[in-house]
Each structure stands twice: as structure tokens, then as C-alpha cells.
């Protein structure tokens, strides 16, 4: 790159910084910036277009176009050349703009006399902010250096916009990260929460995008890269000879960290006047923009790696985000792109709410949030780019809405809602010790789901009759090593102590799929939900399951013990698992240990195949529990974690309810006790429909016991069944509309 241009661009950045330091703000500042750029680039026109909302751009300042057009001229994303630069995140460089396809003539701007056009996106970390344009009368194509220089300026503008430095009061546009904003998402867990944002992966804030001393910035960048490479080498050495994804990711990171192109581009940006941080971010923004458009999943993953690596580098350069947990506010609402169950468990149940940019209602992280009754919103697009640590946030888990930096009216309406919910809780508390008896005199046993010691106090508070599902894998997920038998035995014993004689159904380890143990080699499976998981692992690698069964027997220490095996797909799997437990009991007997007073061995019905197992299976099983989360995903072939397909199929779909009825009937033939422990059991309308189909035991998160009991106590199951049967006979797809109409009538 020619030295002259480097110096030019450095000069321009220097002038820009000076403009920033001067007292004016808002429109005046924007005007001054456009003047400076036009002057330095020797063009007649320089204009800044910024997003007004998600898909409208507004001309916010110009040097050269008509002043009356400022804040009047607007265009939609993809409209005209400016709209196209914004939509594609790519520069447009044309010597004859009016001839370009898609050119849209804006008469109010007087731009018809300008022939050349260079527009570059103003963007920061995947967030589009606007477009920076220079135009000139003379028909000429801008040189590569000029394009590059304008991109560097756009980068600085993006940083300044981010900081609110150039927005001020300009045309009513509020700086980013300051305005009130609402996000819509999917409901992962109902409930309302008020608190402050706590970012799982806090964004690094670059406070000075322009280099004071390029030489010094270059040194800083090289030092940071060296530290980064060193840390990757250490991580790889620590990973030792283990093979698998983790090592591969580290290898890819090291490849990027050693990539000459990456470093060279950043060095060039610094030479043009950017600070080291801004240079890293410019590369990162470009990678993110590419990520949006690359259809190939593999390449997208690589760009994602680059993104992650840039984050690490920024952390090294700025020293930000190192000890995030230390600054966690008491009323933290966790905001994250996505989170795994293990990471969520590390945060513990003190979080007020959780908002995920991606995530899914069916994931195990969602299961944990539900177990803890923490309001959870998933798929809140844009939240991680907009939210900053410490921002006020309201999570409305009933409507699926998040209010970030809400104004007073929204906050006070929200607080009224919180007060109303507290009243409903009081109502549920008043029926806590009453049975879930329906209007027609049927009793339904309500149990709670649990997985952590901390869940047990809810047993009393919720009014549940016992624990219908104890997810033992959660204990494994929160540790960094396989727990020892003694530890597990004492934990299970404490669970039984806390249950105080009430039944606890311990489900043996259900790992695989999205529940990956940190110390287990991850399997490279194309379809993990259909892969080597749960009982399949237990039967193939018997050691861990044996150890767990021994721990359970010892924990019972003469008390009744209930064990159930997850994901049984065929009779033989149940027979083998059952035999393993009986063998362990026998072994304990030989060793002279106290044996459980009573042993109940159940199977989870989570694959449709098991509903068609031979009668002998139903005779042998002491009880069956429907794992509705998995059963539904396999019944409809709709991934429980994929938001696009998950909601397509209603649980009250006639086919699914009829299938549940078949399972009820098969269990009735052999007198096998049946329960339902998927998330749907905790949804009051679904729960009463299951009861109407004949289910007499439901297990749910503790917070659902009250609402489910309340509705069951008001329901006449015979009438409800008639409504369901009528809807089925009429050929409806789902019985929900008929059931809702009935409930309204019955009120
Ligand atoms: C289920 O699949 O419904 C279930 C209860 O198990 P998990 O959600 O832990 O897979
Ligand atoms: Mg399951």
C-alpha cells in the first residue's frame, strides 16, 4: 500500500478525533464529520445514512447533497445503492452510479449530477448501523486504497456510534445502548422477572478506535497475538493426546492465530490510523458480515472460530471480561447467545431470569431453567448486541417479551403484573395440602421433577406427593470429574432424607445428545438425539451405571428404592438394565450390606417403539413413565431443540393424544402403573387433557404443581373427555380449540 495513502488516512482519522474532542454534539458533529471526510477524500459529497429501525435507513448528515433532504430522505434495506450496501454489507464502487442496477434516484437530494459513488457499510460486530457514502461529479472508479481508507473511517464511525458519540440528539435518533427496546422471543419458562443485565459473554467495549501512536499500537497488537498463541499452545498441550472436537477447535484457532493474512490486514489497518482494538474488530466485523451470507455450514463454522478468536484477542488487549462472575449483580438476568446445561448449572438458581439470543425451549438448559422456575426467553434476536452489563431489564415469560432499559410506564405496568402473580401464588399455596381431586371425583397424583439437592425444599412448598423424576445426570454435569460412588451415595441418601419417606424415582444417567459431560470424549455423531445416549451408553459401558446403581442401593440403606431407566426402546434393553440392578442388589447382599426394603424398577417410554413392545414387557415393568419431551420429538420427527419445527406440532394434536391413550390402555391391560414426566405435564391445559385420557400420575417442575392442581380441581374429566372425543370425531387436527372453548364456557 502506498505510503502517501496511509498518511492521508491517518491524517483524516487524526482530524476526526479532533472533531470528537471538540464540544459540539449531535447534528453539528455529524455535519462536521461529513465535511472532514469529503475534504480529505477530495469528493464533492459525503453522506452518512443510519438505520432508523431494522429496515429503514435515513440520511442523517451530508456534505454536498441538499441540506433539506437530511432526515427526510429514507430508504428501505436493499433499496437503491445505499440500501444494497446495507443489505449485503459490501462496498459498492461505481464510476457511473445512475447506470447501476437498482439505482434509485432521490430528487430531493440533488444527487443526479454525481456520477461516481462509493458506499461502505458502517457496522460493528455483525450489527448493521448504516452506510457511509462519498460521491463525485467526475466519472471515476475509486482506487482500492480509497475503498480501504473509507472502510477504516466507517469502522471508526461505527465505534463512535456505538458509544453514542456521534448520535447525540441528532434528528431524534438516540444512541445505541441507551434507548428503550423490546425484544420478542419464544417462551422457555413462564413467569416475570425484573433485574439487571448480566452478560454471559460480555462484549468488549473499544473506547478509543483511533491510534495515538501507530508504532505503539503495532507493538501492542503483536504482543497480544503472542500471548494468544502462547495460550493456545498451552491449551493444546493440556489437551494432550485426547482426540476429538475440542482439540480440533484449538488446532483451527492456532491456524488462524498464525495466519499471516489475518495479521497483515490488522497491521495495515493500524498503519492507516486504527487502534489495535479497532483493527481486530474491523476484521471481526468483516467475518461476521460474511458469516451472514455464507451458505456452507463448514465455512460458517470456521468464520465463527475466527470470531471467537478475535474476542479472545480483544480481551487480551483491553483486559475486559476476565473476572465477570465477580461483578454479578444480585438481581442478575443472564443474557447469552446460547448456553449449555453445565454452564447454566454453574450460575446456580440465583438468576432472576434468562434471555437467550438463540437457544431452544426443548434444550436441557431450558429444562434446568424450568426446574428452577426461572423465567426464560429464547430466540430474542439482537439482544446480545444491544444489551450491556448492568442495563435494566424486564423479562415477561408469559408473553415472550423482554424490555431492555424500559421507560417508567412499562416498568410500573410490569410491577403491577408481578403483584398479581404473587396473588396467584397465594391462591395456589392455599390449596397446597389439598388433593388434586377433580370435580368428577378422580384423584390425580402430582409429583415434581428434580435433579439437584437444591430442588428438594420445593417438595414441601409445592405440595407434590414425591419426586416423579430425579434427573441424576445433572450431578454429573456440574462436576469436572466423574463423581465417586461414595459421593453419589451420600448425595442420594440426602435426597431421600429430604423427601422424608415420599417416593423419589431416580432416573439413571441420561447423557448424550445435548447433555455432554465435560470429562467424556464427545462422540462425533451426525444425529446425537438418535445416537449413543442414555441407556445405550449404560448398557455398553457398564462401569458407570453399575457404580451408580450401587450408590443408589447404599443410599437407600434399607428404605424403599425406586429406579427408572431412560430411553428404553425395546424390551430387551429394559430386561438387561433391570438384571443389572438385580445383580447389584445380589452383590450388595453378598457383601453384607443392608438391602432396600422394596425395589421398584421402571422404564421411561420415550420412543414410540416401546408402546408396541410385547405384553411381557408391560408385565415385567414395575411402572412406566412417559418422557414426553423425547417421545413427542420422535413421534412427530421434530427436534425438541429446533425452534423452527418444535412448535409445529401441538401436544394436543389428535394423533399424539390418541397415542397416549393407547399407552394408557396397554398399561391398563397389565395393571402397570403409568405416569407422565415430560414438560407438558406441567402445563395446566395439557395436564387436564392427559388426565382425561386416563393418566393418573403427572410429574412436573415444582412451580407447576399449584396451577395444575388448581385447574384439575375445577375440571370434570368425563365432560372434558366428551369434548376431546367430539373433536376427534369431527376430524380436528388439535383438540385445543375445543378444549379452550369448553374451559371458557365452564368458568
Ligand atoms: C423427557 O424426555 O420427557 C424427559 C423427562 O427426559 P429429559 O427431558 O431429561 O430428556
Ligand atoms: Mg428424555
Amino acid at each position: 500500500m502506498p505510503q502517501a495513502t496511509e498518511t492521508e488516512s491517518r491524517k483524516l482519522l487524526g482530524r476526526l478525533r479532533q472533531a470528537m474532542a471538540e464540544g459540539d454534539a449531535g447534528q453539528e458533529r455529524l455535519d462536521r464529520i461529513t465535511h472532514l471526510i469529503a475534504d480529505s477524500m477530495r469528493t464533492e459529497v459525503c453522506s452518512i445514512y443510519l438505520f432508523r429501525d431494522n429496515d429503514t435507513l435515513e440520511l442523517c448528515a451530508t456534505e454536498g447533497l441538499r441540506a433539506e433532504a437530511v432526515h427526510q430522505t429514507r430508504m428501505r434495506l436493499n433499496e437503491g445503492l445505499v440500501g444494497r450496501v446495507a443489505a449485503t454489507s459490501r462496498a459498492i464502487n461505481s464510476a457511473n452510479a445512475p447506470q447501476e442496477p437498482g439505482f434509485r434516484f432521490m430528487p430531493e437530494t440533488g444527487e443526479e449530477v454525481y456520477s461516481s459513488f462509493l458506499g461502505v457499510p458502517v457496522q460493528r460486530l455483525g450489527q448493521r448501523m448504516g452506510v457511509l457514502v462519498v460521491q463525485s461529479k467526475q466519472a471515476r472508479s475509486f482506487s482500492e486504497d480509497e475503498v480501504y481508507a473509507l472502510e477504516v473511517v466507517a469502522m471508526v464511525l461505527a465505534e463512535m456510534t456505538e458509544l453514542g458519540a456521534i448520535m447525540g440528539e441528532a434528528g431524534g435518533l438516540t444512541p445505541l445502548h441507551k434507548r428503550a427496546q423490546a425484544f420478542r422471543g419464544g417462551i422457555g419458562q413462564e413467569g416475570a422477572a425484573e433485574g439487571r443485565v448480566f452478560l454471559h459473554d460480555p462484549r468488549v467495549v473499544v473506547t478509543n478506535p483511533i491510534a495515538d501512536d501507530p508504532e505503539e499500537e503495532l507493538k501492542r497488537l503483536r504482543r497480544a497475538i503472542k500471548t494468544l498463541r502462547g495460550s493456545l499452545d498451552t491449551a493444546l498441550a493440556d489437551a494432550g493426546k485426547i482426540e476429538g472436537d475440542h482439540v480440533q477447535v484449538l488446532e483451527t484457532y492456532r491456524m488462524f492465530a498464525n495466519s499471516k493474512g489475518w495479521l497483515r490486514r490488522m497491521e495495515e489497518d493500524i498503519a492507516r490510523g486504527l487502534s489495535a482494538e479497532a483493527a481486530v474488530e474491523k476484521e471481526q466485523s468483516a467475518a461476521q458480515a460474511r458469516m451472514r451470507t455464507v451458505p456452507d455450514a463448514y465455512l460458517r463454522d470456521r468464520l465463527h472460530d475466527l470470531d471467537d478468536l478475535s474476542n479472545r484477542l480483544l480481551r487480551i488487549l483491553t483486559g475486559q471480561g476476565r473476572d465477570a462472575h465477580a461483578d454479578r449483580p444480585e438481581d442478575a438476568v443472564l443474557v447469552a447467545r446460547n448456553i449449555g446445561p453445565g454452564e447454566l448449572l454453574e450460575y446456580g438458581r440465583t438468576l432472576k431470569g434468562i434471555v437467550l439470543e438463540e437457544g431452544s425451549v426443548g434444550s436441557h438448559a431450558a429444562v434446568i431453567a424450568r426446574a428452577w422456575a426461572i423465567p426464560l426467553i429464547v430466540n430474542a434476536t439482537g439482544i446480545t448486541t444491544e444489551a450491556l452489563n448492568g442495563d435494566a431489564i424486564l423479562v415477561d415469560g408469559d408473553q415472550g417479551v423482554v424490555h431492555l432499559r424500559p421507560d417508567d410506564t412499562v416498568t410500573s405496568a410490569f410491577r403491577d403484573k408481578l403483584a398479581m402473580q404473587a396473588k396467584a401464588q397465594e391462591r395456589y399455596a392455599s390449596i397446597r395440602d389439598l388433593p388434586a381431586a377433580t370435580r368428577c371425583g378422580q384423584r390425580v397424583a402430582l409429583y415434581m421433577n428434580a435433579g439437584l439437592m437444591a430442588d428438594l425444599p420445593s417438595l414441601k412448598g409445592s405440595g407434590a406427593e414425591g419426586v416423579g423424576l430425579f434427573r441424576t445426570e445433572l450431578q454429573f454435569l456440574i462436576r469436572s470429574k466423574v463423581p465417586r460412588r461414595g459421593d453419589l451415595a451420600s448425595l442420594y441418601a440426602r435426597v431421600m432424607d429430604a423427601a422424608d419417606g415420599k417416593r423419589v424415582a431416580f432416573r439413571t444417567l441420561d447423557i448424550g445428545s445435548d447433555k455432554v459431560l465435560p470429562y467424556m470424549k464427545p462422540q462425533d455423531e451426525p444425529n446425537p438425539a438418535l445416537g449413543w445416549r442414555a441407556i445405550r451408553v449404560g448398557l455398553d459401558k457398564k462401569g458407570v451405571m453399575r457404580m451408580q446403581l450401587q450408590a443408589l442401593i447404599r443410599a437407600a440403606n434399607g428404605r424403599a428404592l425406586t429406579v427408572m431407566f431412560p430411553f428404553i426402546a425395546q424390551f430387551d434393553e429394559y430386561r438387561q438394565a433391570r438384571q443389572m440392578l438385580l445383580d447389584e442388589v445380589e452383590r450388595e447382599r453378598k457383601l453384607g450390606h443392608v438391602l432396600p426394603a422394596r425395589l421398584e424398577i421402571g422404564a421411561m417410554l420415550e420412543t414410540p417403539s416401546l408402546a408396541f413392545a410385547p405384553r411381557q414387557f408391560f408385565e415385567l415393568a414395575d411402572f412406566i413413565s412417559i418422557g414426553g419431551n423425547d417421545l413427542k420429538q420422535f413421534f412427530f420427527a421434530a427436534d425438541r431443540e429446533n425452534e423452527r419445527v418444535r412448535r409445529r406440532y401441538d401436544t394436543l394434536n389428535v394423533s399424539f393424544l390418541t397415542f397416549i391413550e393407547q399407552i394408557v390402555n396397554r398399561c391398563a391391560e397389565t395393571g402397570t402403573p403409568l405416569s407422565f414426566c415430560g414438560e407438558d405435564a406441567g402445563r395446566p391445559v395439557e395436564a387436564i387433557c392427559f388426565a382425561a385420557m386416563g393418566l393418573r400420575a403427572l410429574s412436573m417442575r415444582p412451580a407447576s404443581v399449584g396451577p395444575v392442581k388448581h385447574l384439575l380441581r375445577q375440571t370434570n374429566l368425563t365432560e372434558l373427555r366428551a369434548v376431546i372425543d367430539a373433536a376427534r370425531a369431527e376430524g380436528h387436527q388439535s383438540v385445543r380449540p375445543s378444549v379452550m372453548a369448553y374451559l371458557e364456557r365452564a368458568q
Side-chain angles (χ1 to χ4, degrees):
M1 176 187 120
Q3 198 57 44
T5 329
E6 260 181 32
T7 323
E8 287 291 307
S9 112
R10 222 141 75 192
K11 250 196 246 151
L12 168 56
L13 291 190
R15 288 172 75 191
L16 263 181
R17 190 186 22 214
Q18 212 179 336
M20 293 300 146
E22 280 163 23
D24 58 0
Q27 192 63 48
E28 259 177 62
R29 183 170 278 186
L30 276 179
D31 292 343
R32 192 204 293 257
I33 291 171
T34 49
H35 173 77
L36 272 179
I37 299 173
D39 186 46
S40 296
M41 303 273 300
R42 293 180 198 93
T43 56
E44 286 101 345
V45 175
C46 172
S47 312
I48 296 174
Y49 297 80
L50 294 173
F51 274 101
R52 238 206 121 73
D53 54 45
N54 277 345
D55 50 14
T56 315
L57 285 147
E58 180 175 302
L59 174 65
C60 286
T62 186
E63 166 77 21
L65 297 185
R66 285 199 194 120
E68 311 86 81
V70 172
H71 297 303
Q72 299 305 319
T73 293
R74 291 192 187 159
M75 61 214 48
R76 302 187 69 76
L77 193 65
N78 239 330
E79 188 182 344
L81 297 188
V82 171
R84 207 161 91 212
V85 171
T88 58
S89 297
R90 291 230 175 89
I92 292 183
N93 178 6
S94 170
N96 193 349
Q99 293 302 309
E100 285 291 320
F103 176 82
R104 192 172 151 275
F105 168 54
M106 309 267 186
E108 71 277 14
T109 63
E111 67 178 337
E112 65 275 17
V113 293
Y114 301 105
S115 180
S116 329
F117 174 102
L118 171 60
V120 298
V122 179
Q123 60 189 359
R124 184 183 182 268
L125 301 185
Q127 188 179 11
R128 303 157 166 164
M129 292 172 167
V131 177
L132 173 64
V133 175
V134 287
Q135 290 170 285
S136 68
K137 283 185 186 152
Q138 184 203 354
R140 67 175 182 108
S141 202
F142 290 90
S143 72
E144 214 176 283
D145 278 341
E146 284 170 315
V147 177
Y148 208 62
L150 199 65
E151 278 176 353
V152 168
V153 173
M155 172 72 207
V156 171
L157 282 184
E159 290 298 341
M160 287 165 172
T161 312
E162 156 90 9
L163 295 173
I166 62 164
M167 307 289 281
E169 298 304 309
L173 293 168
T174 335
L176 288 166
H177 306 305
K178 291 222 164 36
R179 64 186 164 205
Q181 226 178 320
F183 297 83
R184 243 179 206 290
I187 301 168
Q189 159 64 32
E190 291 84 357
E194 178 178 0
R196 273 176 295 154
V197 168
F198 182 69
L199 290 165
H200 177 51
D201 199 5
R203 43 204 277 122
V204 175
V205 181
V206 176
T207 44
N208 177 20
I210 303 171
D212 289 324
D213 171 0
E215 283 311 313
E216 183 50 35
E217 293 300 304
L218 269 181
K219 278 191 207 144
R220 287 182 63 229
L221 178 71
R222 286 177 187 151
R223 268 200 307 268
I225 294 256
K226 202 166 154 207
T227 313
L228 178 72
R229 285 177 185 160
S231 71
L232 288 173
D233 288 343
T234 318
L236 265 165
D238 286 350
K241 294 191 180 61
I242 316 167
E243 287 193 8
D245 291 353
H246 184 57
V247 176
Q248 271 179 26
V249 168
L250 286 174
E251 292 281 11
T252 316
Y253 281 10
R254 186 157 67 173
M255 193 187 81
F256 278 126
N258 290 323
S259 141
K260 293 223 164 49
W262 188 48
L263 184 58
R264 181 180 39 79
R265 285 193 299 275
M266 292 191 288
E267 286 179 346
E268 281 177 9
D269 286 335
I270 291 176
R272 284 173 196 274
L274 287 188
S275 66
E277 289 88 338
V280 176
E281 259 200 25
K282 183 166 170 283
E283 269 297 294
Q284 193 179 12
S285 288
Q288 291 202 347
R290 263 176 280 149
M291 240 182 315
R292 278 207 302 268
T293 55
V294 168
D296 182 276
Y298 177 79
L299 280 179
R300 248 195 341 261
D301 276 354
R302 297 291 74 76
L303 286 168
H304 193 271
D305 291 343
L306 184 57
D307 187 50
D308 203 30
L309 199 68
S310 309
N311 272 335
R312 288 177 186 222
L313 195 52
L314 280 174
R315 295 228 163 87
I316 296 172
L317 278 166
T318 61
Q320 289 172 29
R322 275 206 194 121
D323 192 12
H325 280 265
D327 307 326
R328 183 162 137 199
E330 257 178 38
D331 54 352
V333 169
L334 186 74
V335 174
R337 183 161 285 283
N338 209 344
I339 193 161
E343 290 169 310
L344 185 53
L345 286 168
E346 268 174 35
Y347 280 107
R349 62 189 313 161
T350 54
L351 295 170
K352 286 267 177 281
I354 304 168
V355 183
L356 302 180
E357 174 124 11
E358 294 166 4
S360 143
V361 177
S363 72
H364 281 96
V367 167
I368 292 169
R370 275 195 288 276
W372 286 344
I374 297 176
L376 164 70
I377 305 285
V378 297
N379 269 316
T381 310
I383 187 88
T384 55
T385 21
E386 187 58 38
L388 289 183
N389 266 338
D391 281 348
I393 187 167
L394 306 173
V395 183
D396 186 341
D398 302 310
Q399 303 297 324
V401 179
V402 180
H403 301 277
L404 187 65
R405 299 179 285 266
D407 59 30
D408 292 347
T409 339
V410 173
T411 308
S412 71
F414 194 82
R415 287 188 181 150
D416 289 349
K417 188 183 155 118
L418 283 174
M420 266 169 60
Q421 283 188 346
K423 275 220 177 83
Q425 285 307 327
E426 274 171 30
R427 198 166 58 230
Y428 302 141
S430 71
I431 56 166
R432 190 182 56 202
D433 299 322
L434 300 176
T438 64
R439 282 236 161 110
C440 50
Q442 294 287 348
R443 288 279 294 264
V444 181
L446 301 185
Y447 293 93
M448 67 170 236
N449 295 345
L452 298 169
M453 206 46 225
D455 294 328
L456 270 299
S458 307
L459 191 50
K460 232 182 171 164
S462 66
E465 293 184 28
V467 177
L469 164 67
F470 190 90
R471 291 183 162 102
T472 59
E473 62 279 1
L474 298 192
Q475 282 306 320
F476 285 71
L477 279 166
I478 54 177
R479 285 159 205 252
S480 55
K481 286 203 284 257
V482 185
R484 289 202 311 257
R485 184 181 58 193
D487 298 339
L488 283 184
S490 68
L491 176 98
Y492 299 151
R494 278 189 289 136
V495 171
M496 289 187 216
D497 293 345
D500 198 18
K502 288 182 174 159
R503 179 176 178 266
V504 180
F506 287 96
R507 182 205 30 211
T508 61
L509 258 193
D510 182 4
I511 46 163
S513 194
D514 73 326
K515 288 182 273 198
V516 183
L517 300 184
Y519 40 83
M520 250 183 89
K521 188 176 138 194
Q523 297 300 311
D524 189 12
E525 294 184 304
N527 227 328
L530 304 178
W532 196 55
R533 54 176 289 203
I535 197 66
R536 300 171 182 177
V537 180
L539 292 176
D540 291 357
K541 292 249 176 257
K542 296 203 166 56
V544 177
M545 190 151 104
R546 261 200 204 114
M547 183 266 281
Q548 193 182 24
L549 294 174
Q550 287 162 9
L552 284 165
I553 299 166
R554 290 196 187 171
N557 195 22
R559 292 176 278 197
L561 176 63
T562 306
V563 176
M564 62 181 181
F565 296 107
F567 216 67
I568 301 285
Q570 56 181 8
F571 182 17
D572 200 47
E573 287 169 344
Y574 173 69
R575 210 168 12 207
Q576 280 186 48
R578 181 185 176 93
Q579 194 54 50
M580 265 177 82
L581 176 53
L582 296 177
D583 288 348
E584 290 315 317
V585 172
E586 182 55 20
R587 182 175 169 274
E588 292 294 294
R589 191 185 63 74
K590 283 190 185 140
L591 289 171
H593 290 138
V594 195
L595 301 185
R598 206 161 39 84
L599 198 57
E600 256 192 311
I601 312 176
M604 283 188 74
L605 194 155
E606 307 192 80
T607 61
S609 62
L610 199 64
F612 303 93
R615 183 184 170 94
Q616 286 81 347
F617 160 71
F618 290 88
E619 283 168 353
L620 188 63
D622 295 332
F623 69 94
I624 290 171
S625 191
I626 298 176
N629 306 334
D630 276 312
L631 185 65
K632 195 176 155 202
Q633 84 165 335
F634 298 121
F635 186 75
F636 289 110
D639 186 345
R640 66 193 260 187
E641 294 202 43
N642 181 338
E643 284 305 314
R644 272 175 119 167
V645 298
R646 204 187 58 81
R647 250 185 305 211
R648 256 180 119 87
Y649 308 100
D650 189 358
T651 303
L652 300 186
N653 178 298
V654 164
S655 313
F656 192 62
L657 276 190
T658 306
F659 186 48
I660 297 285
E661 182 186 27
Q662 280 181 21
I663 301 169
V664 169
N665 290 343
R666 288 219 65 191
C667 288
E669 281 168 21
T670 48
T672 317
L674 176 67
S675 60
F676 188 109
C677 65
E679 299 304 307
D680 286 322
R683 303 198 165 97
V685 176
E686 278 79 342
I688 56 168
C689 291
F690 291 156
M693 300 319 284
L695 272 157
R696 288 294 172 268
L698 302 171
S699 191
M700 61 203 69
R701 62 200 159 88
S704 291
V705 176
V708 167
K709 190 189 283 185
H710 179 69
L711 190 58
L712 271 170
R713 287 174 58 83
Q714 296 184 328
T715 306
N716 180 323
L717 293 182
T718 320
E719 274 178 30
L720 178 62
R721 179 58 187 256
V723 170
I724 292 175
D725 286 346
R728 288 203 282 190
E730 284 161 24
H732 293 294
Q733 181 164 284
S734 164
V735 306
R736 191 178 298 274
S738 313
V739 169
M740 294 312 287
Y742 163 73
L743 288 177
E744 258 163 47
R745 281 198 306 276
Q747 275 207 343

